[in-house]
Structure formats: structure tokens, C-alpha cells
Amino acid sequence: MKIRVHELAKKYGFGNKEFLDILNNIGIDVHSHLAGLTVEQEKIATAYFAKKNDNVVSNNVYIEEETMKKNMEFNDVDDFVEENHTTTKKKKNKNSDNNSKDEGKSKKRKKGRRADFVVKKAEQGPEIIEEDGMKIIKIRGEITLGDFADRLGISSSELIKKLFLKGQMLTINSPISFELAEELAMDYDALVEEEEEIELDFGDKFALEITDRPEDLIERAPVITIMGHVDHGKTSLLDAIRTTSVASGEAGGITQKIGAYQINKAGRKITFVDTPGHEAFTDMRARGAQVTDIAILVVAADDGVMPQTIEALSHAKAANVPIIVAINKIDKPEANPMRVKQELMEHGLVSVEWGGDTEFVEVSAKAKMNLDTLLDTILITSEILELKANPKKRAKGIVLESRLDPKVGPIADVLIQEGTLKIGEVIVAGESMGKVRALVNDLGAKVQIATVSQPIEIIGFNDVPSAGDTFYVIQNEQHAKRIVEEMAKERKIAEVSRKSISLESLSQQMDNANVKELNLILRADSRGSVEALRDSLLKLSHEEVIVNIIQAASGAITESDVKLAEASNAIIIGFNVRPTTNALKEADSNGVEIRTSNIIYHITEDIEKALTGMLDPEFKEMYSGRIEIKKVFKVSKVGNVAGCVVVDGKVRKESNIRILRNGVIVYEGKLNTLKRYKDDAKEVVAGQECGLGIENFNDIKEGDIVEAFDIIEVKRTLK
């Protein structure tokens, strides 16, 4: 790969123009800083500058010393933040160093705002560097056309026109690749460099936290996820452990959303995350496994290993967490714990008693048998894991569930993974931000602080965050706004990139022009339920009929949903929610269908039936019988008729027929007449003689075979 002139100039510490003159003087004929040097030319230049290498090194050492002196002007905390939390290494010229120095002096008078300044400085960085009259633009990944035009210092319309002439139709918000940006920059005597960065969650890029010190780490409560098949007693087991009643309030006895609860066992706390049992909540269960330390796989002793048991086991293994098997319902007469152990052995879980490494505990949630043994097993396992955390850090955690309450606004159920959360702190989760107005624990009591491994309900977000988002405590609202804006921008670019039109996608759209769509608008009681319902319905899509989710949100069904459904010819699906009075009236007057249910598999069954009815019918040929033509008679005004004998099966007057001559099909059609002696016949069977005439076909010959068949419609399914 050829090295460019400007890269070699930078290596030896020269400006581009000066370096071009030097290269020309030593016999290397180049005219642009963007030109590439051959291997021979590079060797000549290397040999020439080898003599000056000591001077270059000395110069670099001097620059580093000067930089260190300037950095010493910052206080120790700021130096630590600057060193540990600038995720992208950026080169600063002398002018920017002086500006930073001046700003630093002025900020010393306002110590309370010092951290914000350091973050802002680290966050902005020199995205454009001027070097000998040439712009060096640093970008990472894709950049929108409008942003790139701003960095070039030209109007976006000029770039749009240039690309249009090249056959590319882009808008100001269209993303452009690094390669295209590099090509465009050359036309404006600029250079594009790819910015190196460490891959972090968006919040980690802005978090200001000191590295954990060993003396700050304390033992934390283990986070336990309860998983398993439908109706194997997961919620009942948790209910028995925490001595409250949740299962009785759940429709059909099935947990419909994630809940997290904390108990106290012998002075030590244990946090439980209850994942839903029905297979439609696969994503919610997977999200539960991601935040857990130990997974408890509940299997009914009277039912054994079921499909969702295997599915739950897969999620736990993918999360790489220890698994404890709780064999439930051992109080039933038909209970067979040995069968459960044998079936799980086939899936890689071998009991400790049998030489494996998986703990099996036989329990009964209903009779409250061996619950202490299960809790002791959890605590012993957590001791082996040595779970520790720093409560002195700013809080960070995972949004388990979120919803919109009509009285208090957005509510998020979170699990704190690091630090301590306090009332009044500024928080960010995805594209949502706010200030903590209230904290409610799992018992429904308001608290002032929440610490590591504690499930807590946060009130104070400006919008409903998405379940699965990471939440962070940020130093102030201004910084939080910048994070939210950055996150929204990144997601918008990602979304636009996914929707970019190409010849391949256009061809695919044309191929799918006849594909039928079932438009749906989804409403559910929580964001997690919305996501699970949406994903399970999308899985029903078929190559001929697809599910198109126009809108999916949490909350009651409103008039706007009905109007959208009317405009898009959609059906409204409500899960654990009901339409408002006005929405019902609007739907009734406009003929919009609203289907609601509090059992999710009823919804999926209804939609599956609807999609099945939309499939084009499939027809199957059913063989009926064969007739051999023995004699052909010519009848005036009628044509040729045949005297035949039925050699196999039966032939009906309405049957479809084909004429076979020497095994080759010569005609397909219908019978015109079918007679037994002189009488019309509805059907003839094997061994009977008959006479027949063929509709619209007169070229029948002796020895031809008339094969009869029926076309029947086969009921199709989505699977």
C-alpha cells in the first residue's frame, strides 16, 4: 500500500508545502500532498531524513514536555477525568492549547463548574484541524451530508448537486460513508481521517467515575432470575419466598411483565427478577438473563422438561451464569423428580449428586417445602462468585420495565448495578432524561436512596424509556441534554442507514409487489409487553402475507389510534388495555375493529387465523380412475364418441380428465357425456363399460387412456 505525502510529512514533522519542495529537491517528482509514494521513493525519502531523525526526536520530546507543563495547570481531579474519560484521542494545535489554558485559569474561580468544563472540552475535541492551509477532518463511521458540508465550510446544496451529477441522489440528512467523504474532500483540498475510538455504551462515553478502589468495594446482593415453562410455578415459588400474592392478580396465572423483588435471609439480601412464562415473552426473558448473577430454572416434578424449559435454559447458558434447578410441585402424588434430573441431563445439566456441577433443590411452592434450602443454596453460590460493587459511585443500572402513568407520568422499574441513586439526581436512559422526583421500593414504600442490586421504581423521566436501556446518573441537566441529543442523532443516522434505497432493495420491493399485508396498531400496558407482543406477531409473517406494525406504544387506545387505523386500513390490538369512551365511539362510527385481550396467546392465535385466511388457496390433484378406449364411433352432428371400459377406480361426470396416448398427455379438459348403455350416468366404476364424449376434443383414438382426477383445495397454514 502506497504511503501518502502528507502522512510522511507528518511523520517527519514538516508542513505539506515545505515537504513537497524537499521531495522535489531530492529527485522525487510529486505535486500534491495527496499523492502516493512508491516503495523506492519512500526508501529515498527515508534515507534522506534519517540524518535529521535526532532533531525530529528532540523536537517531539520538547513538545511533550510543553504539553505536560500545560496539563499541570489543571487540578488533580480534572487531570484524572481528562486522562480516563476522553474516549477519542484528538490532536490539538498550539492555538487550541493556549485557549484551553486561558479558559482553565478563568474556571479556577468557579470550582463548582470545573467538571463540566473538562467534560465539554473532552467531548468536543478538534474535529477539524488546519495544517498548512489544508483541512484535516476527523470523522468516525458514517456522517450526515449536512454535517460534512459544514465541516468543509460549504453549503450542503453544493454537495447535493455534485453527487447528483455523479448519479447519487442524497438529501441533507442522508448518511455518507467514510470512503465517499474522503473522495469528496479531495475536491476541496481537504483530507478525511478516521477517528479512533473505544467502543462504549453511549452513557459510558460521558460518565465521570473514578476507578473502583479495593477498599470501596463491598459485598452486594445477588440478582436471581427465575425462569421456566408456563405454569410450572415460577411466580408461585417467588410468592412463597417473599410471602406476597402476585400470581392471583395475573391473568390466566401467567406473569405478564417483569417484576423485581428483594428479600432478606439471615441478614443477607437477595434480589429476584421474575421473567414471564409464556413463550411470547422470549425477549423479556432474555433481558432478565442479562442482568442476573444466578438463574433458577423451575421445572414441575409432575410435568418434566417442556419446550420453554429448554428455551429458558438456552438464555441462561447464553448469559454464562450459574444455574440452580428448582424441582417444584414435589408434594403432588404424581411427582417424579428423578425423571426431571434425567431429562435435564440430556441438555447438559448434571446434578452434583451424580458427579455434575448443577445444584438441584426439590421444593414445593404450595406447601412451602425446602424454601430455606433453596435460599441457602443461592447464598452459597453467590459467595463463590464473590459479588462486589462500589456504592460510592454514581448510579448505573438497567431499565427492567417502563410505563406511562396518567397521574404521575413516566415510570421506570430499574435494577441498580453500580453506585447509589438519590432523590434529585439527574438521570439519562436512552433518549429519555429527567430528575429523580421519587423512589419507590419493591414493597411500595417511598425511599430517599437506592443502592446496588436494589430494584427500584423511578419517577421523574420526561419520557418513557425503553425496557433494556441502561440508565446513568449525570452531573447536570445541560450535560444530560447533550447526551440525549447525541443518542437521538446516532439512532436517527442508524435508522436512515437501514432505510437507504439500493437497486437490490428496489428489486426486492418489485418482487414482493403482490405480497399481502395485515396492518396492525398495538397498544399494551407497558413497554416490555409492547416489545414482546410486537416481536411475537412479527414472527407470524409468511412469504405471502406479512404483519406490518404501523404503531406500537404503551397506554390506553385513543382516538388518534382509531384515526390512524382508519387511514391505514389497520386493526387495533390491545393487550391489558381498553379503549377510551371517545375511541370506542370513533371506532364504531368508522368501522374500525378493536380487539383486546389480557392473555397474549389469544391475540397471537387470532392474528394467525387472520393471516391464514389471507393466504392464496392451494390446490391438490386427487387421482380418481382410468378408462381405456376400446372403440371410436363417428356420430353426425356430435363428433367422435368412444366405447370404453373402466380399468381402475371410478370416474364421475364432473371429473377433470386428461387423454394419455402412449403415456403422453395429448389433452386436458372435461367430459361432455358419460353414458351407461343409452342412459346418462353420474359415475362409472372399475369393470363397467360406458360410452363418453370429450368436451372440445374430437381426436380420440382406440387405445387412448382417459385418466380422471379431481382438484381439491388444501387448507394452508403459516408453518
Side-chain angles (χ1 to χ4, degrees), residues 5-6 8-9 14-35 37 44-45 48-49 52 132:
V5 172
H6 71 87
L8 208 57
F14 288 92
N16 289 312
K17 293 181 180 178
E18 183 184 359
F19 195 71
L20 281 171
D21 292 337
I22 294 174
L23 292 180
N24 288 325
N25 290 335
I26 62 176
I28 300 176
D29 188 21
V30 287
H31 304 285
S32 171
H33 56 276
L34 296 175
L37 298 178
I44 294 172
Y48 176 79
F49 289 106
K52 299 183 179 182
D132 295 335

Side-chain angles (χ1 to χ4, degrees), residues 74 99-108 114 117:
F74 297 108
N99 292 337
S100 300
K101 183 176 178 180
D102 294 338
E103 290 183 22
K105 290 179 179 179
S106 64
K107 294 290 182 180
K108 287 179 182 179
R114 183 60 181 162
F117 163 72

Side-chain angles (χ1 to χ4, degrees), residues 139-144 175-178 493-494 496-498 500:
I139 66 173
R140 60 178 184 270
E142 292 181 335
I143 185 173
T144 62
I176 59 175
S177 64
F178 176 81
I493 291 176
V496 172
S497 301
R498 288 195 298 269
S500 296

Side-chain angles (χ1 to χ4, degrees), residues 185-209:
M186 292 178 66
D187 295 338
Y188 297 95
D189 200 26
L191 183 68
V192 175
E193 290 186 356
E194 195 162 9
E195 198 172 50
E196 297 178 2
E197 67 169 340
I198 302 171
E199 290 295 329
L200 297 171
D201 289 339
F202 82 96
D204 289 334
K205 297 178 183 178
F206 305 98
L208 293 178
E209 293 299 346

